Amino acid sequence: MDDQTKAPLTTKTLVAQTPGARERITGAITQPIHMSSTFLRDADNRYPAGYVYGRTDNASVQQAEDLIAKLEGAEEAFLFGSGMAAASSVLLALEKPTHIIASKVMYWGFRSWLREIGRYGHRVSFIETSDLDAVRAAVRPGETGLLWIETPSNPLWTITDIAAISEIAHAASAILCVDSTVATPVFTRPLALGADIVMHSATKYLNGHSDVVAGALATARDGQLWSRIRDLRGQLGNALGAFDAWLLMRGMRTLDIRVRSQARTAATLAERLVGHAAIAQVLYPGLAQHAGHDTALRQMSGGFGGMFSVRVKQGERAAIAVAAAVNLWKRATSFGGIESLIEHRASIEGDGSPCPGDLLRFSAGLEDVDELYLDLMQALAQTLAQTSASVS
Ligand SMILES: Cc1ncc(COP(=O)(O)O)c(C=O)c1O
């Protein structure tokens, strides 16, 4: 973006303008994809543009990183080959054996990896991080070096108070890292609330089109841990590839408009589903009855995200039957794309998961909200009818 103004821009304008998008040679509005893996030295044996080798230096990747840094109000952002690569980089960069406090409810893949973190010398306590007293009690002075929270957390959409946890972390000289994949920078800016590092599975809302696997970290400041993350990424070659970064950049241009629309759809559906005869509970932080609603109101601005879950009264088999009876909702894992997804979450989470068997997870896409609702209604009606027929 040209330096038209120094005032901070809204996410809406930032993503639409795609900072740095004007290519210098031709004036192209859209950047080319920089595929070169190596760069020329000049006659003085220097690299005039600072680009040396593709494992660390790629202009397409940097362009997307710059936008993420601006969206998060970060000093710097790095892109990785997946959300897992981004998240694990923080742990692998820890200097010495560390006690880690992590949200009990979080993305199951990362939780599974964390459960085995002992092999790297670290110890982890899984704590209900929405309970501040429980977090305070879990801190081990002199040992706890990292607090890892996910909010809203997958798949119960538990809300953790980022500002309060950052105070607890900093009082213990620990770092706070927030997985903000579901909130997106449109609704929450964890760094402004005191977090040190924010993480995204960019596979989800940032890209938004279910065609890229990517992860991002953005930091409040460039300190020791961040510089080890940078070195490790370069040494191990964990950075995102140029084409995926270009696709991600393209996806992010519509981030603001997509996620606001998805959050409106999720909110409408969650409200309509409350009290349905086949549903025991609707989990969505936008609902007044959600345990984290007040905290969500404080730290999420403009929406509560596009994810919600329901617990089906008749239990696990009925939940699986509902997921099989929808037509519009796609039965698949992942979330944040433009197409709405439904998933029986316990089927994928496996051992040690806090996810109940009767839970269905929904990712609201960009389809018509009434059509999505009617599709779900007919699936619930079918399941109700089948269950009452088998009972009678
Ligand atoms: C909240 C959250 N964090 C992290 C990840 C991991 O990201 P990725 O699949 O891009 O490695 C996921 C994936 O589903 C996720 O839902």
Side-chain angles (χ1 to χ4, degrees), residues 264-279:
R264 275 196 302 276
T265 296
T268 304
L269 294 175
E271 276 159 23
R272 288 186 190 172
L273 289 167
V274 171
H276 188 283
I279 289 173

Side-chain angles (χ1 to χ4, degrees), residues 232-356:
L232 271 180
R233 189 181 74 138
Q235 289 157 348
L236 303 184
N238 282 340
L240 189 64
F243 182 52
D244 283 344
W246 188 88
L247 276 174
L248 172 61
M249 191 71 195
R250 182 191 166 110
M252 286 195 293
R253 298 190 76 155
T254 54
L255 173 74
D256 192 278
I257 195 165
R258 276 189 283 107
V259 298
R260 287 186 199 280
S261 172
Q262 287 166 296
R264 275 196 302 276
T265 296
T268 304
L269 294 175
E271 276 159 23
R272 288 186 190 172
L273 289 167
V274 171
H276 188 283
I279 289 173
Q281 194 184 8
V282 182
L283 299 161
Y284 184 64
L287 295 174
Q289 59 270 37
H290 187 278
H293 181 64
D294 290 345
T295 310
L297 269 178
R298 260 185 283 123
Q299 74 186 21
M300 300 186 80
S301 150
F304 300 96
M307 301 299 298
F308 65 96
S309 298
V310 303
R311 297 189 62 180
V312 177
K313 262 187 197 160
Q314 287 98 335
E316 179 155 6
R317 284 187 56 191
I320 293 171
V322 172
V326 288
N327 299 311
L328 280 178
W329 296 83
K330 298 280 167 278
R331 196 154 42 134
T333 195
S334 199
F335 59 86
I338 55 177
E339 61 290 302
S340 293
L341 302 181
I342 184 170
E343 187 179 29
H344 177 251
R345 202 56 206 160
S347 295
I348 200 162
E349 295 219 351
D351 238 23
S353 163
C355 176

Side-chain angles (χ1 to χ4, degrees), residues 16 20-21 51 61 101 121 124-125 128 174 195 210 219-220 235 253 282-283 290 333 351 354 361 363 390:
Y51 290 85
V61 176
I101 294 177
V124 62
S125 305
E128 181 46 77
S210 308
T219 188
Q235 289 157 348
R253 298 190 76 155
V282 182
L283 299 161
H290 187 278
T333 195
D351 238 23
R361 186 182 85 173
S363 170
S390 65

Side-chain angles (χ1 to χ4, degrees), residues 49-128:
Y51 290 85
V52 177
Y53 184 55
R55 184 170 358 100
T56 44
D57 309 325
N58 185 279
S60 300
V61 176
Q62 286 163 358
Q63 191 193 12
E65 289 173 341
D66 286 348
L67 178 56
I68 292 170
K70 286 199 168 66
L71 290 172
E72 290 291 358
E75 186 168 338
E76 191 170 30
F78 292 144
L79 278 166
F80 296 79
S82 70
M84 283 296 286
S88 55
S89 293
V90 177
L91 282 287
L92 296 176
L94 291 172
E95 206 170 13
K96 53 180 191 314
T98 300
H99 173 240
I100 300 154
I101 294 177
S103 294
K104 197 175 237 170
V105 182
M106 64 148 76
Y107 168 58
W108 75 277
F110 191 51
R111 191 186 61 234
S112 303
W113 188 74
L114 275 180
R115 284 170 78 192
E116 295 172 11
I117 202 71
R119 71 170 66 144
Y120 299 94
H122 306 306
R123 296 157 315 284
V124 62
S125 305
F126 291 100
I127 304 292
E128 181 46 77

